[in-house]
Amino acid sequence: MNELEVRQLRYFVAVAEELHFGRAAARLGMAQPPLSRTIRDLERQLGVALFERTTRHVRLTGAGEVLLRDARTALESVTAAAHRARHAGSASPRLRIALKADIDGGLLPQILDAYRADPAALQPELVLGGLGEQPQALRDGLADVALVLCPMDDRGLDSEPLLTEPVLVALAATDPLAARTQLCLADLAGRNLPSGAPAHDGRTAPPPPGAARPASNLSEIFSLVETGSIVFFAPASVARRNPRPGVAYRPVSDQSNCTLAIAWPQDARSPAVAAFVRAACAIAAAHRTPAEHPPVNTARQARE
């Protein structure tokens, strides 16, 4: 069997995700007939049917589901290889640190100071993104190391916890709930998060199809909180750094704590990545009480 081509995998993934040849062709910017021919050729090459086709539906077969999972991983690896090679060939290589602005537990300045003192350090570059985007940035080769909130999608990644802290709800100071000293999730019924998800679920969710773009930065979010339009779950460190007269922060008894972690690709061999992980773990340890120290998983430390 000949080796599969990246082009074949991209075409297959588009059809598998759209389950419609016309939409997949439009997504790929091509006509439908050559796309259909490519998929038929791929099925003949593999000797299996990847799709069940009827006049009304296109469905993945068992073989198609397996290929979709592995094709996505393969395409991620190809994309990441190109980004990493381009980055490695730069005249001034940098350590790219992915994070969501303000989601660093207040530790980032001290981590950077400790990291810069390491002989293996490269010039740091912050790669800012939305909440939850950092693991994919690592897999895509767009970042070398990341500060992330757990739980996260850890496929292909190693990580170490840095600190765990309570999550508070930010609500308008004029909200009747602000008169209480502590809340539970059920108290938040009828209020929504920035994503549009109901607050009493205690978790964020993507906005429904067709919904307006949700507020994504803290300035926008706090402005909406102050007007009573939304509430917002904030790590305690974010609440400490953002006191606002129009916003009240209250503990939520049945809301889980959040854990900030440092993450990096499993196959990382960069001394700069290892130096940043060491610095992050050391600074976080200095901020924890003895009872808060997690066990160190030395087998998962960044490899030099």
Side-chain angles (χ1 to χ4, degrees):
M1 182 181 69
N2 294 331
E3 294 182 359
L4 298 180
E5 300 176 3
V6 170
R7 177 184 61 88
Q8 291 175 300
L9 294 181
R10 292 194 190 282
Y11 288 8
F12 165 75
V13 168
V15 176
E17 291 180 344
E18 299 291 343
L19 292 178
H20 189 283
F21 279 83
R23 288 196 299 269
R27 167 175 156 180
L28 293 165
M30 63 186 298
Q32 183 174 333
L35 174 60
S36 298
R37 285 196 299 273
T38 298
I39 297 301
R40 287 196 299 270
D41 291 344
L42 177 60
E43 289 177 317
R44 281 196 293 270
Q45 182 178 343
L46 296 175
V48 295
L50 300 172
F51 297 97
E52 295 176 359
R53 304 166 178 84
T54 69
T55 55
R56 293 187 176 185
H57 300 289
V58 175
R59 293 189 179 92
L60 281 168
T61 64
E65 291 176 353
V66 170
L67 182 60
L68 177 59
R69 181 195 64 214
D70 292 341
R72 283 171 170 159
T73 301
L75 291 174
E76 283 180 353
S77 297
V78 169
T79 300
H83 288 147
R84 288 172 182 152
R86 190 175 297 116
H87 178 65
S90 168
S92 331
R94 296 169 177 261
L95 181 77
R96 299 164 299 170
I97 306 160
L99 74 158
K100 170 77 170 71
D102 291 295
I103 306 298
D104 64 352
L107 302 180
L108 183 59
Q110 295 174 70
I111 292 173
L112 289 174
D113 286 345
Y115 165 69
R116 290 188 179 104
D118 194 295
L122 298 174
Q123 180 66 27
E125 176 185 341
L126 300 185
V127 180
L128 300 178
L131 190 64
E133 294 177 1
Q134 291 69 41
Q136 193 60 47
L138 292 174
R139 282 189 289 270
D140 287 344
L142 298 174
D144 306 300
V145 67
L147 294 174
V148 297
L149 288 181
C150 298
M152 65 168 178
D153 178 359
D154 63 354
R155 291 178 295 115
L157 306 178
D158 275 343
S159 64
E160 285 290 343
L162 298 179
L163 63 85
T164 297
E165 57 182 336
V167 174
L168 308 178
V169 64
L171 40 80
T174 55
D175 190 309
L177 294 179
R180 305 190 194 179
T181 58
Q182 183 166 290
L183 304 172
C184 64
L185 288 172
D187 295 328
L188 301 175
R191 294 164 175 81
N192 290 331
L193 299 173
S195 66
H200 67 269
D201 282 353
R203 56 188 176 84
T204 58
R213 180 188 68 86
S216 58
N217 63 63
L218 283 180
S219 178
E220 291 179 354
I221 289 172
F222 283 130
S223 293
L224 292 173
V225 169
E226 287 176 324
T227 64
S229 301
I230 61 171
V231 299
F232 170 56
F233 289 124
S237 58
V238 171
R240 285 195 301 272
R241 288 182 289 167
N242 291 276
R244 296 174 71 115
V247 175
Y249 296 100
R250 296 293 179 266
V252 182
S253 59
D254 49 351
Q255 173 67 300
S256 300
N257 291 343
C258 66
T259 296
L260 179 72
I262 180 87
W264 63 93
Q266 285 179 344
D267 58 357
R269 297 294 186 276
S270 164
V273 169
F276 191 85
V277 172
R278 286 194 300 268
C281 291
I283 294 300
H287 280 75
R288 290 192 296 261
T289 65
E292 293 174 323
H293 280 261
V296 176
N297 188 350
T298 54
R300 291 168 63 84
Q301 289 289 345
R303 305 173 181 89
E304 298 189 33

